[in-house]
Amino acid sequence: MNEIRDAILADQLDALAGLEVPQSYRAVLVRKDEQDMFEGLPTKEKDPRKSLHVEEVATPELGPGEAIVAVMASSVNYNTVWTSIFEPVSTFGFLERYGRVSELTKKHDLPYHVVGSDLAGVVLRVGPGVNKWKPGDEVVAHCLSVELEDPAGHDDTMMDPQQRIWGFETNFGGLAELALVKSNQLMPKPAHLTWEEAAAPGLVNSTAYRQLVSRNGANMKQGDTVLIWGASGGLGSYATQMALNGGAIPVCVVSSPEKADIVRSMGAELVIDRSAEGYKFWKDEATQDPKEWQRFGKKIRELTGGEDVDIVFEHPGRETFGASVYVAKKGGTIITCASTTGYLHEYDNRYLWMNLKKILSSHFANYKEAWEANRLIDKGLIHPTLSKVYPMEEVGQATLDVHRNAHQGKVGVLTLAPTEGLGVKDAEKREKHLSAINRFRGV
Ligand SMILES: NC(=O)c1ccc[n+]([C@@H]2O[C@H](COP(=O)([O-])OP(=O)(O)OC[C@H]3O[C@@H](n4cnc5c(N)ncnc54)[C@H](OP(=O)(O)O)[C@@H]3O)[C@@H](O)[C@H]2O)c1
């Protein structure tokens, strides 16, 4: 592995084709024999530092249409939190099901799950049938894994019945020294970014792009007012940037003055600190409080000069969904991609149908959408929101930060890269965007 790392660090990328792929590599994983370890504990007390391990694992066999990537850096997504606390289900069920699809997918069904749905690195080997990529290519990977044997996936690959999220519903993810991906997950690494910066946006940036911008999502247009929950978090920090540079008006919800400052520094003017306002949308576990929805709606109108929001960018789920449906404008759209606080949502349907509002769903992104989202990063129109970077050995702490909502933007993880700050190929472009790239650092 050292030879590979040294060749990359020395920028001798042509040499990689001549180097042997190691038989094993270090990876972040959860173990099947530990999947019940947190049984009976409340969600908040399930500690990823106990379930995530860094271990040496065997390199998987490279199949047709696949690539092995030397991973320089990766990042923590919320799906790593879910895998590490075995909620809402253990991800080993996904691996078992995938293993049953074909001879080639059997390799995914193992007693361990190598996690991670982002990477920045260099292609080491490609399998038969891969023509677009070659060893030595500097890449990032999006996390959509599809088989595409069914016609259903051919208009929009997210509709493939065999659609999976790599590193969550498949094995051999990006939080590791090597990763196995399908070649149609690969995209060029933006040259002005370091490895860890390039690895940060992938999953959340692509998801926010489909959810907010794509016509498969809310199809945001200039002048739309967009309520963004968790506006300084993983998804929200990209949605906020997309609203701003797409000519829309974000109303950013955050939970502290520091988070309010950071979204303001991105250019957002309308900001609600939900902690300071003390919203309590639920009186108790079973009863919502419509008065609190009204108070929230009034605050939005105060900020917007009396307007309601065209789009609600939803992901907290149960806790906020009733309020989200209430505050959307007549004819407006509530678009959801998640349920962090609970997946059984409740809302008052009268506000939906009488006001002709729409609830839409969104999930990750197809290759084209992920490519467009990566292109925005490459062009310096959207910037990584990396706040903190951990070495691979501390991935448990990195994941705990996200689990406890103690982070901002994205949390990065160094895998093969020995230090931060490496991998920049276009210093001039970097200089131009440096303050925006560094906006979240150290906050
Ligand atoms: N379907 C998909 O393809 C897809 C893709 C990416 C993520 N997701 C899911 O989306 C969710 C968010 O992911 P993320 O990466 O953005 O996570 P994140 O970085 O933790 O950000 C989520 C933000 O939500 C806000 N939040 C948390 N609890 C809240 C509550 N009770 N009420 C209102 N806001 C609350 C927090 O912001 P404040 O505390 O500042 O308000 C937090 O920063 C996760 O469940 C994840 O699994 C789904």
Side-chain angles (χ1 to χ4, degrees), residues 215-408:
R215 58 172 180 263
N216 289 317
N219 206 4
M220 182 192 80
K221 63 179 193 324
Q222 289 191 38
D224 278 350
T225 306
V226 186
L227 181 73
I228 302 173
W229 289 106
S232 78
L235 288 169
S237 58
Y238 293 89
T240 299
Q241 294 184 69
M242 283 169 200
L244 285 167
N245 68 18
I249 304 156
V251 180
C252 293
V253 187
V254 294
S255 64
S256 70
E258 294 74 31
K259 290 183 174 189
D261 284 348
I262 208 148
V263 292
R264 284 202 179 94
S265 79
M266 285 196 278
E269 291 175 1
L270 314 183
V271 184
I272 299 176
D273 179 342
R274 66 182 172 95
S275 299
E277 298 288 337
Y279 297 116
K280 257 190 111 206
F281 298 132
W282 290 80
K283 284 187 207 162
D284 56 50
E285 287 210 347
T287 328
Q288 296 203 57
D289 186 352
K291 286 218 168 65
E292 285 294 90
W293 302 344
Q294 285 162 15
R295 189 161 74 86
F296 182 54
K298 195 162 162 246
K299 179 77 191 172
I300 293 171
R301 284 185 181 169
E302 254 169 59
L303 293 175
T304 59
E307 291 182 355
D308 294 330
V309 296
D310 298 277
I311 300 170
V312 183
F313 186 85
E314 243 295 335
H315 51 89
R318 182 168 175 84
E319 186 102 0
T320 55
F321 206 81
S324 292
V325 170
Y326 179 81
V327 300
K329 151 194 273 184
K330 193 171 176 100
T333 300
I334 303 97
I335 185 145
T336 174
C337 78
S339 293
T340 316
T341 62
Y343 47 80
L344 290 176
H345 298 183
E346 267 179 37
Y347 61 89
D348 186 331
N349 203 31
R350 291 171 296 178
Y351 294 112
L352 189 84
W353 98 71
M354 294 295 284
N355 295 294
L356 301 112
K357 304 180 189 187
K358 293 178 277 292
I359 296 174
L360 296 181
S361 65
S362 191
H363 184 40
F364 189 60
N366 62 37
Y367 194 8
K368 180 72 162 60
E369 290 161 338
W371 190 281
E372 290 301 330
N374 186 53
R375 182 170 161 268
L376 291 173
I377 302 275
D378 189 51
K379 298 248 174 244
L381 291 165
I382 298 277
H383 304 287
T385 59
L386 187 67
S387 58
K388 199 166 178 185
V389 180
Y390 286 90
M392 190 159 64
E393 292 66 31
E394 291 176 37
V395 69
Q397 182 61 49
T399 309
L400 184 67
D401 285 2
V402 177
H403 184 26
R404 297 228 166 120
N405 194 17
H407 68 300
Q408 304 260 26

Side-chain angles (χ1 to χ4, degrees), residues 191-210:
H192 64 299
L193 299 180
T194 64
W195 296 112
E196 62 279 6
E197 289 161 0
L203 183 149
V204 281
N205 185 40
S206 311
T207 305
Y209 183 86
R210 181 180 175 108

